[in-house]
Amino acid sequence: MSLSLGRMKVRRTPKPPPDPEGRMALVEHLRELRSRLFKAVGAILVAGILGWIFYDQLFELLKHPLDQALATINAERDIDAKLVFGDVAGPLMMQLKVSLISGLVVSSPVWLYQLWAFIVPGLHKNERKWTMVFVGSAAPLFIGGVLIGYLALPKGLNVLIDFTPLGVGNYTAVDVYLSFVLRLLLVFGVAFEIPVFVVLLNLVGILSVARLSRMRAWIIFGIFVFAAIATPSTDPITMILLAAPMTVLFLLSELIARFTERRRRARLIAQGIDLDDIERAGRLDDD
């Protein structure tokens, strides 16, 4: 009896079809998390290297609000104020910190996308279409918040330095000053992301417009409390410069949520779906 090797076939276990909803096993989730973290950290490090190369320009940029504040104050009264380093390793550590924070800001479109891309597999198919909405708005709002924080810096510094008594020098350590500035910029950047998440929670049906309307006064109050606590300068001008744009963005996000929910209701009615049962459940879902 002869066997034809050409006709012999190896039986293989068929590969399971992909989940139509994109669900993954725990091991796949961990592998996906590792991949997303690697890409996000890599982007931050690459942008941080650029920040290291252009450190002198970045330092002058961060020091400019202080120069503006001192120029305004010295036009009325003379204050001996300057930046100093308090230890030998201070300049090196400060350059590392500035480079890292600048890399975080510059690479924000990349790591924000990686964050959303990791969340997407856990969403339903009809919820993933809002990926471009998140990516297209989150990064510009983060960078816009950082810019507004930078523009608010001279006013806040002016208020704080003006409390220096006459005849007393105000010598601020460079690391303390830059830590103060970088923290304020990051607070502004993160705060401007809140409206994006409000809109997305409404788009996926978790937060309804009716609930937003009922909570509007408390949310605005919470915004001002957050601005008062989060801004490291603790002066009212910086607080208002953070809280006012956040309030406007929140109200704008409520209008967008109202528009999208109205369209969703019209589509569900056209499909003959009873909205009473859905509203009693506290959410409106896409089919």
Side-chain angles (χ1 to χ4, degrees):
M1 181 181 295
S2 62
L3 295 176
S4 175
L5 295 178
R7 295 181 180 180
M8 294 178 63
K9 296 182 179 179
V10 179
R11 293 185 178 181
R12 298 179 180 177
T13 304
K15 185 178 180 180
D19 194 311
E21 294 293 340
R23 290 185 290 264
M24 297 186 297
L26 177 61
V27 175
E28 294 175 329
H29 271 296
L30 293 176
R31 193 175 295 125
E32 177 76 6
L33 176 61
R34 182 185 62 184
S35 174
R36 298 298 175 187
L37 284 176
F38 180 79
K39 294 175 181 177
V41 172
I44 294 173
L45 289 178
V46 170
I49 292 173
L50 293 176
W52 179 278
I53 295 173
F54 296 99
Y55 171 73
D56 291 336
Q57 292 84 349
L58 287 173
F59 182 80
E60 289 299 323
L61 188 66
L62 294 172
K63 183 173 171 287
H64 183 65
L66 179 61
D67 294 336
Q68 282 186 305
L70 291 177
T72 302
I73 294 174
N74 288 331
E76 300 176 359
R77 63 191 187 97
D78 188 25
I79 293 181
D80 183 15
K82 64 177 67 175
L83 295 177
V84 296
F85 280 109
D87 59 272
V88 176
L92 173 61
M93 299 306 298
M94 186 47 52
Q95 186 165 347
L96 287 171
K97 182 182 292 188
V98 171
S99 301
L100 181 61
I101 298 298
S102 64
L104 188 69
V105 173
V106 172
S107 64
S108 59
V110 178
W111 57 261
L112 283 170
Y113 170 77
Q114 296 301 326
L115 171 64
W116 181 252
F118 177 72
I119 298 174
V120 163
L123 301 177
H124 295 290
K125 184 178 180 180
N126 63 328
E127 295 170 345
R128 297 178 200 162
K129 60 186 178 181
W130 305 112
T131 298
M132 295 309 299
V133 175
F134 179 87
V135 175
S137 58
L141 280 175
F142 180 82
I143 295 174
V146 170
L147 291 176
I148 290 179
Y150 181 79
L151 296 176
L153 265 173
K155 291 291 185 182
L157 292 172
N158 193 350
V159 172
L160 295 176
I161 298 175
D162 198 35
F163 281 99
T164 303
L166 292 175
V168 177
N170 191 331
Y171 295 166
T172 305
V174 177
D175 57 342
V176 174
Y177 168 74
L178 289 183
S179 296
F180 168 86
V181 171
L182 294 174
R183 185 173 56 180
L184 185 140
L185 296 181
L186 287 179
V187 165
F188 270 78
V190 172
F192 273 53
E193 295 297 307
I194 294 176
V196 176
F197 289 98
V198 170
V199 173
L200 288 176
L201 288 175
N202 176 263
L203 289 175
V204 300
I206 296 176
L207 188 61
S208 67
V209 171
R211 185 175 300 175
L212 277 174
S213 299
R214 291 195 301 269
M215 298 171 58
R216 185 188 302 120
W218 286 105
I219 291 175
I220 294 176
F221 176 75
I223 287 174
F224 277 85
V225 172
F226 168 80
I229 296 174
T231 51
S233 62
T234 67
D235 65 281
I237 296 178
T238 306
M239 182 198 75
I240 293 173
L241 288 175
L242 174 60
M246 282 184 64
T247 302
V248 173
L249 287 172
F250 167 72
L251 295 176
L252 180 61
S253 65
E254 185 180 350
L255 290 176
I256 295 174
R258 191 178 300 277
F259 172 75
T260 56
E261 191 166 298
R262 188 179 297 118
R263 291 185 58 188
R264 186 186 307 147
R265 291 172 63 92
R267 183 167 63 254
L268 292 176
I269 291 174
Q271 294 173 354
I273 298 176
D274 187 4
L275 297 180
D276 293 335
D277 294 336
I278 299 177
E279 291 177 349
R280 276 194 294 269
R283 60 178 293 169
L284 288 171
D285 279 325
D286 288 325
D287 57 354

